[in-house]
């Protein structure tokens, strides 16, 4: 029984290592597909940079199938995008319509949605993404986890599991496997 348990623990550690979300960074060749980012600072047109405001910093996620989305501060947004080198073309974004109570968050959100409209220059340097358009510049840091989940980043949604859901799934799989191993061990004895 102990050798079954030891083998199961080894499998569990391996499964959890595979299921853990990865940190965001642009993939080889500069593609943003499959990455997620969190706003750290921004600048309106050519003014000085200011730190991101709000309880939760705005996010942006690039799916592998041509959709971009995230949260702009108060509202979720999403739409199609294409990338050619360091140039993004972001199609018409749709957004939820919640009112922001904080004027600073409202102003930041308006800038985010303005920058993410049409042609946008994208620069990745290490774990930093800079998006620029005539409206301003947004600077993002790599998010702690990749957008893994059943939702499409290009469509505003609510109630979806966070990016840690693969770890939860791995845990459930391990529990099922443990049950099977214990059953087999009991049946052999």
């Amino acid at each position: 029984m102990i050798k079954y348990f030891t083998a199961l623990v080894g499998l569990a550690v391996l499964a959890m290592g595979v299921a853990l979300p990865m940190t965001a960074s642009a993939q080889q060749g500069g593609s943003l597909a499959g990455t997620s980012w969190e706003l750290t600072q921004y600048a309106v047109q050519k003014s000085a940079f200011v730190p991101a405001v709000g309880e939760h910093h705005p996010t942006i996620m690039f799916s592998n199938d041509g959709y971009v989305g995230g949260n702009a501060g108060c509202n979720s947004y999403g739409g199609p995008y294409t990338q050619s080198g360091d140039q993004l073309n972001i199609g018409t974004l749709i957004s939820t319509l919640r009112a922001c109570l904080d004027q600073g968050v409202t102003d930041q959100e308006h800038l985010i949605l303005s920058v993410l409209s049409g042609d946008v220059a994208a620069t990745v340097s290490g774990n930093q993404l800079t998006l620029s358009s005539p409206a301003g510049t947004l600077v993002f840091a790599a998010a702690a986890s990749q957008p893994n989940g059943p939702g499409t980043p290009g469509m505003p949604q609510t109630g979806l599991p966070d990016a840690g859901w693969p770890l939860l799934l791995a845990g459930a799989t391990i529990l099922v496997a443990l049950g099977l191993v214990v059953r087999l061990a009991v049946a052999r004895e």
Side-chain angles (χ1 to χ4, degrees), residues 20-153:
L20 286 173
M22 302 180 313
T23 58
S25 63
Q27 297 174 354
Q28 225 171 2
S31 174
L32 292 171
T35 64
S36 60
W37 308 83
E38 183 176 296
L39 186 71
T40 58
Q41 60 182 336
Y42 64 92
V44 177
Q45 295 172 336
K46 296 188 186 272
S47 64
F49 282 94
V50 295
V53 297
E55 186 176 326
H56 301 285
H57 290 177
T59 59
I60 189 167
M61 298 177 288
F62 297 90
S63 75
N64 290 320
D65 57 356
Y67 289 95
V68 63
N71 187 291
C74 292
N75 291 287
S76 298
Y77 66 89
Y81 84 97
T82 57
Q83 181 176 2
S84 178
D86 63 354
Q87 291 294 311
L88 298 175
N89 182 277
I90 300 176
T92 302
L93 295 176
I94 58 173
S95 174
T96 56
L97 300 173
R98 286 184 278 182
C100 294
L101 299 177
D102 181 325
Q103 188 60 45
V105 174
T106 298
D107 294 343
Q108 175 180 269
E109 181 169 277
H110 286 165
L111 176 65
I112 291 167
L113 296 175
S114 294
V115 170
L116 300 179
S117 178
D119 293 327
V120 179
T123 305
V124 176
S125 177
N127 282 336
Q128 181 175 299
L129 168 65
T130 303
L131 300 177
S132 300
S133 78
T137 302
L138 308 172
V139 179
F140 295 86
S145 62
Q146 292 297 311
N148 295 317
T152 302

